[in-house]
Amino acid sequence: MALRLIRRHLKDCPHTSTRYRRCRCPIHVYGTLGGQAIRRALDQTSWDAAVELINGWTASGEIGVVKAEAPSVREAIAKFLADCEARHLGWEAKRKYRHLLEDRLLGWCESKGLSNLRHLTVDVLRQFRQSWKDSPVYATKNLERLRAFLRFCQQAGWIKQNPATSVKPPKATVSPTLPFSRDEMTRILEACDRYGGNKDRIRAFVLTMRFTGLRIGDAIRLSKSQVSNGTVFVRTAKTGQPVSVPVPPKVVEALEKADSGGERFFWTGLNIRSAVSNWSRYLARVFELAGVADGHSHRFRDTCAVELLLAGASVEDVATILGNTPQVVAKHYAPWVKERQERLEKLVRQSWG
């Protein structure tokens, strides 16, 4: 039996029929919903308000629970990206969320006529994943981002479950990231002197990335205020403490030589996405001149981490500088952890008997 509304007339009310709606006597509800029986007052005197409340219970399938109205896919994405801004996520993380959700998911949904958030079922998301041309590793990362977005929607009460959790990631074989060898770094710096553009600027950029471990976007945004007394401020730790790294004098000298008079060394401050694209292209030319295969900006970060580990730095210290967790550093750079290698060698020798 569905839920029904009745009036329970007060003693001074001239009406007696429970079906009469125009007085202001209390409204009661009785019936069953989801196998649960109910017979109680609603603390309502407005019939329209009572009907709206009961409709909300019916939509949620549970007595006392009003299901939040699901926004459109476009509105949900906008709210999620606004939350990313409020959480002060990094520029690169926000860019990747925008690319997946605004540039890809939203367009795909509109092409399929899917406007409401609740249209994103498990089957629909599997179809969306099948449209991707990403590598297995990048597709796995995008699936994690999709799950984060829909988890946000679930926590907001717009959807009951997160359908993306039932979408399995592709099988991906992750190759360990490789640093530049010392010979490659020498050739890269020599190639800076043969570069067709601003030689001082490209050399300063290469040295900055190598000795700070900054990602390319953060290196591009490096300001003069971050460089002081031979150290470079790289980030604020989760504890609120600033993290700075000392750099060799040649890095400071290169930055001073490349100074064009602006607030930042490598960026005008206008469009960071264009700047990243441009600097990636400049570096590609340097790698080509140096004869370094598979050169890309992130390998400078790997080089910084590996050289620190080879010098005896702890995994925790390297994680602090890079802004990663110790678990991530240990996973990606385990072959170069000096203490780990020494311990393994000692254990092997002890096993000889």
Side-chain angles (χ1 to χ4, degrees):
M1 180 175 63
L3 299 179
R4 294 188 61 186
L5 298 176
I6 61 171
R7 291 274 190 189
R8 286 294 180 92
H9 298 287
L10 300 174
K11 290 183 179 181
D12 57 353
C13 181
H15 306 286
T16 57
S17 173
T18 58
R19 295 182 181 181
Y20 188 81
R21 302 181 181 182
R22 296 183 181 179
C23 64
R24 304 297 294 177
C25 294
I27 299 173
H28 289 235
V29 60
Y30 70 96
T32 59
L33 180 63
Q36 181 181 359
I38 183 175
R39 187 180 184 90
R40 72 184 190 200
L42 286 179
D43 295 326
Q44 293 282 351
T45 58
S46 167
W47 192 270
D48 290 339
V51 169
E52 184 178 352
L53 178 63
I54 295 305
N55 287 341
W57 292 3
T58 303
S60 68
E62 186 176 352
I63 292 173
V65 176
V66 177
K67 198 168 187 178
E69 183 179 353
S72 67
V73 175
R74 180 182 293 276
E75 290 169 342
I77 290 174
K79 291 177 182 293
F80 175 77
L81 294 178
D83 185 68
C84 291
E85 291 285 350
R87 291 161 54 203
H88 301 291
L89 294 189
W91 171 83
E92 185 65 14
K94 291 186 290 188
R95 182 192 70 81
K96 290 176 179 177
Y97 275 125
R98 281 195 300 269
H99 177 62
L100 174 66
L101 300 176
E102 286 187 333
D103 300 343
R104 300 175 67 174
L105 176 62
L106 184 57
W108 187 85
C109 286
E110 290 178 345
S111 71
K112 301 292 183 180
L114 306 173
S115 59
N116 191 278
L117 187 63
R118 291 177 185 154
H119 291 156
L120 300 184
T121 62
V122 175
D123 184 60
V124 166
L125 293 181
R126 285 174 179 159
Q127 294 177 42
F128 175 54
R129 183 197 57 190
Q130 290 170 7
S131 70
W132 299 353
K133 304 300 181 183
D134 305 325
S135 67
V137 172
Y138 197 73
T140 300
K141 293 293 185 181
N142 268 337
L143 182 56
E144 291 174 2
R145 296 181 187 105
L146 186 61
R147 287 173 175 171
F149 163 63
L150 290 168
R151 184 165 56 250
F152 169 83
C153 297
Q154 180 186 20
Q155 292 169 347
W158 301 330
I159 54 177
K160 192 171 185 179
Q161 294 180 326
N162 183 346
T165 58
S166 299
V167 180
K168 294 183 178 180
K171 184 177 179 180
T173 302
V174 180
S175 301
T177 52
L178 296 175
F180 291 120
S181 67
R182 293 181 181 179
D183 175 66
E184 287 175 326
M185 277 304 309
T186 299
R187 284 155 43 199
I188 289 171
L189 290 171
E190 290 175 348
C192 291
D193 297 330
R194 304 196 305 274
Y195 179 68
N198 189 319
K199 297 177 177 58
D200 293 335
R201 207 156 173 250
I202 192 69
R203 184 182 185 86
F205 192 72
V206 166
L207 288 171
T208 297
M209 293 201 70
R210 157 63 184 88
F211 287 101
T212 63
L214 289 170
R215 294 181 176 89
I216 186 169
D218 294 326
I220 290 170
R221 286 191 289 260
L222 185 70
S223 65
K224 293 178 182 177
S225 61
Q226 291 177 253
V227 183
S228 177
N229 298 322
T231 64
V232 175
F233 168 78
V234 291
R235 68 180 42 81
T236 300
K238 291 183 178 180
T239 59
Q241 296 298 314
V243 179
S244 298
V245 295
V247 294
K250 61 182 178 181
V251 178
V252 178
E253 293 169 3
L255 287 172
E256 291 175 349
K257 196 172 182 180
D259 185 2
S260 60
E263 169 58 25
R264 301 178 187 272
F265 293 102
F266 309 112
W267 183 39
T268 61
L270 295 179
N271 189 319
I272 188 62
R273 298 181 72 172
S274 296
V276 170
S277 178
N278 290 337
W279 277 103
S280 297
R281 189 172 67 253
Y282 305 154
L283 289 175
R285 177 55 181 159
V286 171
F287 298 141
E288 181 182 357
L289 291 171
V292 175
D294 299 323
H296 55 82
S297 63
H298 203 80
R299 289 183 65 185
F300 288 118
R301 184 173 167 87
D302 297 329
T303 304
C304 178
V306 166
E307 291 292 347
L308 285 169
L309 291 169
L310 291 175
S314 68
V315 168
E316 290 74 16
D317 289 339
V318 174
T320 299
I321 292 173
L322 298 184
N324 288 330
T325 64
Q327 292 77 12
V328 169
V329 172
K331 176 181 177 182
H332 287 285
Y333 305 113
W336 293 278
V337 178
K338 187 176 181 180
E339 293 88 342
R340 179 177 182 272
Q341 185 61 35
E342 290 175 349
R343 185 177 69 255
L344 290 175
E345 291 178 2
K346 182 179 179 180
L347 290 172
V348 170
R349 289 191 178 94
Q350 290 175 349
S351 71
W352 292 348

